[in-house]
Short mmCIF file of all heavy atoms in Angstrom, two decimals:
data_model
loop_
_atom_site.label_atom_id
_atom_site.label_comp_id
_atom_site.label_asym_id
_atom_site.label_seq_id
_atom_site.Cartn_x
_atom_site.Cartn_y
_atom_site.Cartn_z
N VAL A 1 100.66 104.40 100.46
CA VAL A 1 100.06 105.55 101.18
C VAL A 1 99.31 105.04 102.37
O VAL A 1 99.43 105.50 103.56
CB VAL A 1 99.20 106.41 100.34
CG1 VAL A 1 98.57 107.49 101.18
CG2 VAL A 1 99.99 107.06 99.21
N ALA A 2 98.40 104.04 102.16
CA ALA A 2 97.50 103.62 103.22
C ALA A 2 96.99 102.19 102.87
O ALA A 2 96.94 101.91 101.72
CB ALA A 2 96.31 104.56 103.43
N THR A 3 96.79 101.47 103.92
CA THR A 3 96.26 100.11 103.77
C THR A 3 95.04 99.85 104.58
O THR A 3 94.86 100.49 105.67
CB THR A 3 97.29 99.02 104.13
OG1 THR A 3 97.61 99.12 105.45
CG2 THR A 3 98.64 99.23 103.29
N ILE A 4 94.19 98.86 104.19
CA ILE A 4 93.03 98.56 105.02
C ILE A 4 92.78 97.07 104.86
O ILE A 4 92.80 96.53 103.75
CB ILE A 4 91.79 99.35 104.62
CG1 ILE A 4 90.62 99.06 105.54
CG2 ILE A 4 91.36 99.10 103.11
CD1 ILE A 4 89.46 100.10 105.45
N SER A 5 92.67 96.42 105.97
CA SER A 5 92.44 94.98 105.99
C SER A 5 91.07 94.64 105.67
O SER A 5 90.14 95.51 105.59
CB SER A 5 92.86 94.38 107.40
OG SER A 5 91.79 94.74 108.28
N SER A 6 90.75 93.32 105.47
CA SER A 6 89.44 92.93 105.22
C SER A 6 88.40 93.31 106.36
O SER A 6 87.20 93.38 106.18
CB SER A 6 89.30 91.44 104.89
OG SER A 6 89.80 90.71 105.99
N ARG A 7 89.02 93.41 107.54
CA ARG A 7 88.18 93.72 108.73
C ARG A 7 88.13 95.28 108.98
O ARG A 7 87.56 95.68 109.98
CB ARG A 7 88.70 92.99 109.96
CG ARG A 7 88.65 91.49 109.89
CD ARG A 7 89.15 90.84 111.13
NE ARG A 7 88.98 89.39 111.12
CZ ARG A 7 89.26 88.61 112.15
NH1 ARG A 7 89.62 89.09 113.32
NH2 ARG A 7 89.07 87.24 112.00
N GLY A 8 88.79 96.04 108.12
CA GLY A 8 88.70 97.46 108.30
C GLY A 8 89.85 98.06 109.13
O GLY A 8 89.81 99.26 109.41
N LEU A 9 90.87 97.32 109.47
CA LEU A 9 92.01 97.87 110.14
C LEU A 9 92.90 98.58 109.21
O LEU A 9 93.18 98.09 108.12
CB LEU A 9 92.75 96.81 110.87
CG LEU A 9 92.01 95.93 111.88
CD1 LEU A 9 92.84 94.83 112.47
CD2 LEU A 9 91.55 96.91 113.05
N SER A 10 93.32 99.82 109.55
CA SER A 10 94.05 100.58 108.65
C SER A 10 95.41 101.01 109.18
O SER A 10 95.70 100.97 110.38
CB SER A 10 93.23 101.96 108.39
OG SER A 10 92.94 102.61 109.59
N ASN A 11 96.31 101.27 108.23
CA ASN A 11 97.73 101.83 108.51
C ASN A 11 98.03 102.84 107.47
O ASN A 11 97.50 102.84 106.33
CB ASN A 11 98.74 100.59 108.48
CG ASN A 11 98.70 99.81 109.75
OD1 ASN A 11 99.05 100.21 110.80
ND2 ASN A 11 98.16 98.58 109.64
N TYR A 12 98.95 103.70 107.90
CA TYR A 12 99.24 104.85 107.00
C TYR A 12 100.76 105.12 106.99
O TYR A 12 101.54 104.83 107.99
CB TYR A 12 98.63 106.06 107.57
CG TYR A 12 97.06 105.98 107.61
CD1 TYR A 12 96.46 105.55 108.74
CD2 TYR A 12 96.30 106.33 106.51
CE1 TYR A 12 95.04 105.46 108.80
CE2 TYR A 12 94.94 106.23 106.60
CZ TYR A 12 94.31 105.72 107.66
OH TYR A 12 92.95 105.60 107.74
N ALA A 13 101.23 105.59 105.86
CA ALA A 13 102.56 106.14 105.75
C ALA A 13 102.71 107.32 106.70
O ALA A 13 101.75 108.09 106.92
CB ALA A 13 102.92 106.53 104.32
N ASP A 14 103.87 107.47 107.25
CA ASP A 14 104.07 108.57 108.22
C ASP A 14 103.74 109.92 107.57
O ASP A 14 103.27 110.84 108.31
CB ASP A 14 105.56 108.59 108.75
CG ASP A 14 105.86 107.52 109.64
OD1 ASP A 14 104.87 106.90 110.21
OD2 ASP A 14 107.04 107.14 109.86
N SER A 15 104.01 110.08 106.34
CA SER A 15 103.80 111.37 105.66
C SER A 15 102.38 111.80 105.53
O SER A 15 102.04 112.94 105.32
CB SER A 15 104.43 111.32 104.26
OG SER A 15 103.84 110.32 103.47
N VAL A 16 101.41 110.86 105.78
CA VAL A 16 100.02 111.19 105.60
C VAL A 16 99.24 110.86 106.91
O VAL A 16 98.08 111.21 106.96
CB VAL A 16 99.37 110.44 104.41
CG1 VAL A 16 100.10 110.63 103.15
CG2 VAL A 16 99.17 108.96 104.76
N LYS A 17 99.88 110.36 107.78
CA LYS A 17 99.26 109.96 109.12
C LYS A 17 98.52 111.21 109.78
O LYS A 17 99.19 112.27 109.81
CB LYS A 17 100.19 109.35 110.10
CG LYS A 17 99.58 108.49 111.13
CD LYS A 17 100.65 107.71 111.87
CE LYS A 17 101.30 106.68 110.98
NZ LYS A 17 102.31 105.83 111.70
N GLY A 18 97.31 111.15 110.17
CA GLY A 18 96.57 112.19 110.72
C GLY A 18 95.87 113.11 109.81
O GLY A 18 95.06 113.93 110.17
N ARG A 19 96.19 112.92 108.48
CA ARG A 19 95.57 113.72 107.42
C ARG A 19 94.69 112.94 106.50
O ARG A 19 93.65 113.40 106.03
CB ARG A 19 96.62 114.50 106.61
CG ARG A 19 97.53 115.41 107.43
CD ARG A 19 98.49 116.22 106.50
NE ARG A 19 99.41 115.39 105.78
CZ ARG A 19 99.47 115.41 104.41
NH1 ARG A 19 98.64 116.14 103.73
NH2 ARG A 19 100.39 114.61 103.78
N PHE A 20 95.10 111.70 106.23
CA PHE A 20 94.35 110.82 105.25
C PHE A 20 93.64 109.76 106.06
O PHE A 20 94.08 109.30 107.09
CB PHE A 20 95.35 110.17 104.33
CG PHE A 20 95.96 111.07 103.27
CD1 PHE A 20 95.88 112.49 103.42
CD2 PHE A 20 96.64 110.60 102.21
CE1 PHE A 20 96.37 113.31 102.47
CE2 PHE A 20 97.22 111.34 101.26
CZ PHE A 20 97.11 112.80 101.41
N THR A 21 92.46 109.29 105.58
CA THR A 21 91.68 108.22 106.11
C THR A 21 91.25 107.25 104.97
O THR A 21 90.58 107.74 104.05
CB THR A 21 90.49 108.73 106.89
OG1 THR A 21 90.86 109.69 107.95
CG2 THR A 21 89.69 107.60 107.56
N ILE A 22 91.63 106.03 105.18
CA ILE A 22 91.12 104.94 104.18
C ILE A 22 89.92 104.29 104.78
O ILE A 22 89.90 104.06 106.00
CB ILE A 22 92.33 103.94 103.88
CG1 ILE A 22 91.94 103.04 102.75
CG2 ILE A 22 92.76 103.23 105.15
CD1 ILE A 22 93.15 102.19 102.29
N SER A 23 89.02 103.89 103.95
CA SER A 23 87.78 103.22 104.28
C SER A 23 87.34 102.41 103.17
O SER A 23 87.85 102.43 102.07
CB SER A 23 86.72 104.16 104.79
OG SER A 23 86.30 105.07 103.73
N ARG A 24 86.40 101.51 103.50
CA ARG A 24 85.91 100.59 102.43
C ARG A 24 84.34 100.43 102.61
O ARG A 24 83.89 100.45 103.76
CB ARG A 24 86.63 99.27 102.49
CG ARG A 24 86.46 98.48 103.75
CD ARG A 24 87.43 97.30 103.82
NE ARG A 24 87.17 96.35 102.76
CZ ARG A 24 88.13 95.53 102.26
NH1 ARG A 24 89.29 95.56 102.78
NH2 ARG A 24 87.78 94.66 101.34
N ASP A 25 83.71 100.06 101.48
CA ASP A 25 82.37 99.76 101.51
C ASP A 25 82.20 98.45 100.79
O ASP A 25 82.20 98.46 99.56
CB ASP A 25 81.49 100.88 100.89
CG ASP A 25 80.00 100.63 100.94
OD1 ASP A 25 79.58 99.40 101.16
OD2 ASP A 25 79.23 101.57 100.85
N ASN A 26 82.03 97.36 101.55
CA ASN A 26 82.04 96.05 100.84
C ASN A 26 80.76 95.83 100.02
O ASN A 26 80.83 95.11 99.03
CB ASN A 26 82.18 94.97 101.92
CG ASN A 26 83.52 94.88 102.59
OD1 ASN A 26 84.49 95.40 101.97
ND2 ASN A 26 83.63 94.25 103.64
N ALA A 27 79.66 96.53 100.35
CA ALA A 27 78.50 96.38 99.55
C ALA A 27 78.61 97.06 98.15
O ALA A 27 77.95 96.59 97.23
CB ALA A 27 77.33 97.07 100.34
N LYS A 28 79.52 97.98 98.13
CA LYS A 28 79.77 98.68 96.83
C LYS A 28 81.02 98.32 96.16
O LYS A 28 81.38 98.86 95.14
CB LYS A 28 79.72 100.21 97.08
CG LYS A 28 78.34 100.80 97.54
CD LYS A 28 78.39 102.29 97.68
CE LYS A 28 77.02 102.80 98.14
NZ LYS A 28 77.06 104.29 98.23
N ASN A 29 81.75 97.37 96.80
CA ASN A 29 83.11 97.01 96.25
C ASN A 29 83.96 98.19 95.95
O ASN A 29 84.66 98.34 94.90
CB ASN A 29 82.92 96.18 94.89
CG ASN A 29 82.53 94.71 95.22
OD1 ASN A 29 82.20 94.42 96.38
ND2 ASN A 29 82.59 93.88 94.19
N THR A 30 83.96 99.12 96.93
CA THR A 30 84.66 100.34 96.75
C THR A 30 85.57 100.73 97.96
O THR A 30 85.16 100.52 99.07
CB THR A 30 83.69 101.57 96.54
OG1 THR A 30 82.93 101.29 95.24
CG2 THR A 30 84.42 102.82 96.25
N VAL A 31 86.76 101.18 97.74
CA VAL A 31 87.59 101.65 98.71
C VAL A 31 87.82 103.18 98.55
O VAL A 31 87.88 103.63 97.40
CB VAL A 31 88.94 100.93 98.78
CG1 VAL A 31 89.69 101.12 97.45
CG2 VAL A 31 89.79 101.25 99.93
N TYR A 32 87.88 103.90 99.60
CA TYR A 32 87.92 105.40 99.58
C TYR A 32 89.29 105.87 100.28
O TYR A 32 89.84 105.21 101.08
CB TYR A 32 86.79 106.04 100.35
CG TYR A 32 85.48 105.57 99.79
CD1 TYR A 32 84.76 104.47 100.42
CD2 TYR A 32 84.91 106.14 98.69
CE1 TYR A 32 83.50 104.15 99.94
CE2 TYR A 32 83.65 105.79 98.23
CZ TYR A 32 82.97 104.77 98.85
OH TYR A 32 81.73 104.38 98.36
N LEU A 33 89.65 107.08 99.93
CA LEU A 33 90.71 107.73 100.56
C LEU A 33 90.34 109.18 100.83
O LEU A 33 90.24 109.92 99.81
CB LEU A 33 92.03 107.69 99.80
CG LEU A 33 93.29 108.22 100.52
CD1 LEU A 33 93.62 107.35 101.69
CD2 LEU A 33 94.47 108.34 99.65
N GLN A 34 90.01 109.52 102.00
CA GLN A 34 89.71 110.92 102.37
C GLN A 34 91.01 111.61 102.68
O GLN A 34 91.78 111.24 103.56
CB GLN A 34 88.73 110.96 103.62
CG GLN A 34 88.45 112.39 104.09
CD GLN A 34 87.64 113.18 103.00
OE1 GLN A 34 86.69 112.63 102.51
NE2 GLN A 34 87.96 114.40 102.90
N MET A 35 91.29 112.72 101.97
CA MET A 35 92.59 113.41 102.08
C MET A 35 92.20 114.86 102.60
O MET A 35 91.59 115.65 101.84
CB MET A 35 93.32 113.43 100.76
CG MET A 35 93.51 112.04 100.15
SD MET A 35 94.57 112.04 98.74
CE MET A 35 93.56 113.06 97.62
N ASN A 36 92.71 115.14 103.76
CA ASN A 36 92.54 116.52 104.34
C ASN A 36 93.87 117.15 104.53
O ASN A 36 94.90 116.57 104.51
CB ASN A 36 91.78 116.43 105.62
CG ASN A 36 90.40 115.78 105.63
OD1 ASN A 36 89.73 115.96 104.60
ND2 ASN A 36 90.03 115.05 106.59
N SER A 37 93.82 118.52 104.74
CA SER A 37 95.00 119.29 105.01
C SER A 37 96.14 118.97 103.89
O SER A 37 97.24 118.70 104.20
CB SER A 37 95.56 119.04 106.43
OG SER A 37 94.61 119.30 107.29
N LEU A 38 95.69 118.99 102.60
CA LEU A 38 96.62 118.58 101.56
C LEU A 38 97.75 119.56 101.45
O LEU A 38 97.62 120.70 101.69
CB LEU A 38 95.88 118.45 100.25
CG LEU A 38 95.03 117.23 100.13
CD1 LEU A 38 93.91 117.35 99.01
CD2 LEU A 38 95.89 116.02 99.78
N LYS A 39 98.91 118.92 101.09
CA LYS A 39 100.14 119.72 100.92
C LYS A 39 100.61 119.53 99.47
O LYS A 39 100.22 118.61 98.79
CB LYS A 39 101.18 119.18 101.85
CG LYS A 39 100.81 119.16 103.32
CD LYS A 39 101.92 118.49 104.17
CE LYS A 39 101.53 118.46 105.60
NZ LYS A 39 102.64 117.81 106.44
N SER A 40 101.51 120.42 99.05
CA SER A 40 102.02 120.36 97.65
C SER A 40 102.73 119.03 97.41
O SER A 40 102.65 118.49 96.34
CB SER A 40 102.94 121.54 97.40
OG SER A 40 103.97 121.57 98.26
N GLU A 41 103.31 118.55 98.48
CA GLU A 41 104.03 117.26 98.26
C GLU A 41 103.09 116.02 98.17
O GLU A 41 103.61 114.90 97.90
CB GLU A 41 104.98 116.96 99.46
CG GLU A 41 104.43 117.14 100.80
CD GLU A 41 104.68 118.58 101.42
OE1 GLU A 41 104.55 119.53 100.67
OE2 GLU A 41 105.10 118.63 102.60
N ASP A 42 101.80 116.20 98.27
CA ASP A 42 100.82 115.21 98.04
C ASP A 42 100.49 115.09 96.55
O ASP A 42 99.77 114.11 96.17
CB ASP A 42 99.55 115.42 98.82
CG ASP A 42 99.77 115.38 100.35
OD1 ASP A 42 100.50 114.43 100.78
OD2 ASP A 42 99.23 116.23 101.09
#
C-alpha cells in the first residue's frame, strides 16, 4: 500500500495515492497510516 524510507520519503500504490499518508515516529518506534476518503475497496 505505502512505503517510507528511513529518511521519511514515501511512495504509494496508485489505488491510495492522494488519500493515504504514511509517516513514522522514530522516537516511538511507530509507523502510521492515515487513511482518508475511504472506499469499500479499501
Side-chain angles (χ1 to χ4, degrees):
V1 174
T3 65
I4 187 165
S5 73
S6 60
R7 297 185 177 185
L9 298 176
S10 58
N11 280 290
Y12 301 91
D14 287 343
S15 59
V16 307
K17 201 170 292 184
R19 300 188 297 122
F20 290 12
T21 303
I22 189 171
S23 61
R24 63 191 297 156
D25 186 336
N26 289 342
K28 296 182 178 180
N29 282 12
T30 300
V31 61
Y32 303 98
L33 187 68
Q34 177 67 44
M35 307 187 296
N36 298 329
S37 302
L38 283 161
K39 305 175 181 180
S40 56
E41 50 262 46
D42 295 318

